[in-house]
């Protein structure tokens, strides 16, 4: 999940969804709608075994509201007994593109090239950049549990090393 106050992208590797809100809405309404949407997405199709969330970069000034929203989502998922892994933006970018400083267009192109031909044709206004991040986070989660998403890249991928930078939670099946 790429959690944002304006465009939260979510993916489970096959489904993608975006929750878009307007700064004109009350912040409480936006945060409530986003967290309810996250819970609904996480519980669909029998429920998630793991949630992977992009966190803020070190030293990022995302604002109190965004930090609160991320923690609200984590608490809601925790209450549902869904373990949460938190991934730094540079780690996500390194996993998806091989470059921790990749741009949004490079992230979109990498998802399009590697996993989903045609992904780059999604309009930016439909949350394409957020969905690319969300898809990359889902790919990381599947790769971590040993079920990597089908890739059009045949050779082993050195980007998998970025998984070692994440503090992965204990999964229910691990207990």
């Amino acid at each position: 999940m790429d959690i944002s106050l304006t465009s939260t992208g979510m993916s489970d590797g096959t489904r993608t969804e975006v929750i878009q809100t307007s700064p004109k809405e009350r912040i409480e309404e936006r945060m409530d709608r986003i967290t309810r949407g996250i819970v609904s997405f996480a519980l669909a199709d029998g429920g998630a075994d793991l949630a992977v969330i992009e966190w803020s970069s070190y030293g990022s000034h995302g604002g109190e509201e965004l930090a609160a929203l991320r923690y609200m989502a984590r608490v809601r998922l925790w209450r549902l007994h869904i373990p949460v892994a938190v991934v730094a933006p540079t780690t996500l970018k390194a996993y998806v593109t091989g470059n921790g400083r990749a741009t949004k267009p490079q992230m979109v192109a990498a998802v399009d090239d590697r996993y989903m031909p045609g992904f780059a044709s999604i309009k930016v206004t439909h949350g394409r950049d957020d969905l690319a991040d969300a898809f990359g986070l889902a790919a990381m989660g599947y790769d971590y549990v040993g079920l990597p998403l089908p890739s059009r890249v045949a050779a082993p991928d050195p980007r998998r090393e970025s998984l070692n930078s994440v503090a992965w939670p204990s999964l229910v099946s691990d207990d």
Side-chain angles (χ1 to χ4, degrees):
M1 298 172 188
D2 179 21
I3 299 175
S4 162
L5 287 165
T6 55
S7 185
T8 294
M10 300 175 291
S11 178
D12 66 3
T14 55
R15 292 180 308 124
T16 57
E17 187 175 316
V18 67
I19 303 168
Q20 294 180 321
T21 65
S22 167
K24 294 178 182 178
E25 296 174 73
R26 287 181 52 117
I27 189 67
E28 297 86 355
E29 292 172 13
R30 294 165 66 194
M31 293 171 86
D32 182 59
R33 184 154 53 95
I34 294 165
T35 53
R36 283 187 292 112
I38 287 169
V39 166
S40 177
F41 190 86
L43 292 177
D45 298 329
D49 296 319
L50 172 67
V52 184
I53 297 175
E54 183 179 22
W55 213 246
S56 59
S57 57
Y58 181 74
S60 171
H61 300 289
E64 291 178 359
E65 291 92 355
L66 181 55
L69 178 59
R70 288 180 174 137
Y71 275 105
M72 286 173 63
R74 281 182 73 176
V75 169
R76 294 288 290 274
L77 294 166
W78 171 78
R79 289 180 69 195
L80 295 168
H81 305 285
I82 298 173
V84 176
V86 174
V87 176
T90 54
T91 302
L92 169 63
K93 291 173 183 183
Y95 179 84
V96 174
T97 70
N99 174 5
R101 298 174 57 105
T103 64
K104 290 180 183 299
Q106 289 170 325
M107 287 287 289
V108 169
V111 169
D112 187 273
D113 293 343
R114 187 169 180 79
Y115 300 106
M116 298 177 72
F119 184 85
S121 66
I122 297 172
K123 294 180 179 181
V124 172
T125 57
H126 294 162
R128 180 186 67 206
D129 297 341
D130 309 301
L131 293 173
D133 287 352
F135 190 89
L137 293 161
M140 288 182 80
Y142 279 108
D143 200 355
Y144 172 72
V145 299
L147 300 168
L149 294 177
S151 171
R152 296 171 40 190
V153 176
D157 191 347
R159 293 178 273 204
R160 192 171 193 285
E161 289 296 317
S162 357
L163 295 176
N164 298 331
S165 300
V166 178
W168 295 96
S170 228
L171 301 179
V172 173
S173 60
D174 290 343
D175 296 338

